Amino acid sequence: MARDERTITNPPAVHDPTPFGYSHAVSAPGQLVFIAGQYASDAAGAPVPGDFAAQVDLAFDRLRLVLEAEGLGWEHVVRLGTFIVDHDAEKLEVLGKALHARFGDRLPAQTLSGLASLALPGMLFEVDAVAVRPAPLPEPAATDARTEES
């Protein structure tokens, strides 16, 4: 997408969510692409051991690979669902830095859930996403290239 067609809405009557790594609402024209939860996994899908920050980075790397396979990038993501085992303020700070590193100040909408555990032992973080494949640009108006002969 050559231009960023997302509209981000953070109403002044609601708290500023950007320090926490998200926006209140995001809309964009086009086709929705739903991406399943990505986590720090090896080629067989087994969780990769590591501290929380390492798992966050690897999960976002996996998400990036899925986006790229769809011909999309971070700029197409409009919503994230993030899941943190034993959520606390320190983990929120790690997540916020990871989000800002990838999205800059164009943060998607996000829901964060703190959980006791995830699907597999050893998983500390998981992220799913909704992206928007841009609507095709309108075709330029055809011009009549014929010339009149006398």
Side-chain angles (χ1 to χ4, degrees), residues 39-51:
Y39 58 98
S41 65
D42 63 19
V48 175
D51 68 6

Side-chain angles (χ1 to χ4, degrees), residues 2-144:
R3 60 180 188 245
D4 188 351
E5 296 181 3
R6 293 177 300 160
T7 300
I8 293 177
T9 305
N10 288 312
V14 183
H15 76 277
D16 178 10
T18 59
F20 303 107
Y22 71 98
S23 296
H24 284 296
V26 181
S27 62
Q31 177 188 46
L32 295 177
V33 179
F34 297 90
I35 301 169
Q38 301 299 308
Y39 58 98
S41 65
D42 63 19
V48 175
D51 68 6
F52 179 76
Q55 285 202 15
V56 167
D57 284 339
L58 190 50
F60 276 113
D61 285 347
R62 299 294 185 255
L63 177 56
R64 179 186 50 79
L65 292 171
V66 176
L67 286 166
E68 289 174 356
E70 285 287 332
L72 303 172
W74 297 120
E75 70 275 15
H76 300 104
V77 175
V78 295
R79 184 191 182 287
L80 295 173
T82 52
F83 307 90
I84 297 176
V85 172
D86 298 326
H87 172 62
D88 61 22
E90 185 178 309
K91 290 177 181 174
L92 181 59
E93 184 176 337
V94 168
L95 177 59
K97 287 179 182 177
L99 291 165
H100 283 283
R102 287 156 179 88
F103 295 99
D105 64 350
R106 302 289 292 163
L107 296 159
Q110 178 191 182
T111 298
L112 184 153
S113 298
L115 309 166
S117 66
L118 285 163
L120 299 170
M123 287 176 63
L124 303 176
F125 178 78
E126 186 173 11
V127 58
D128 64 31
V130 177
V132 177
R133 186 181 320 286
L137 295 175
E139 293 288 326
T143 57
D144 192 348

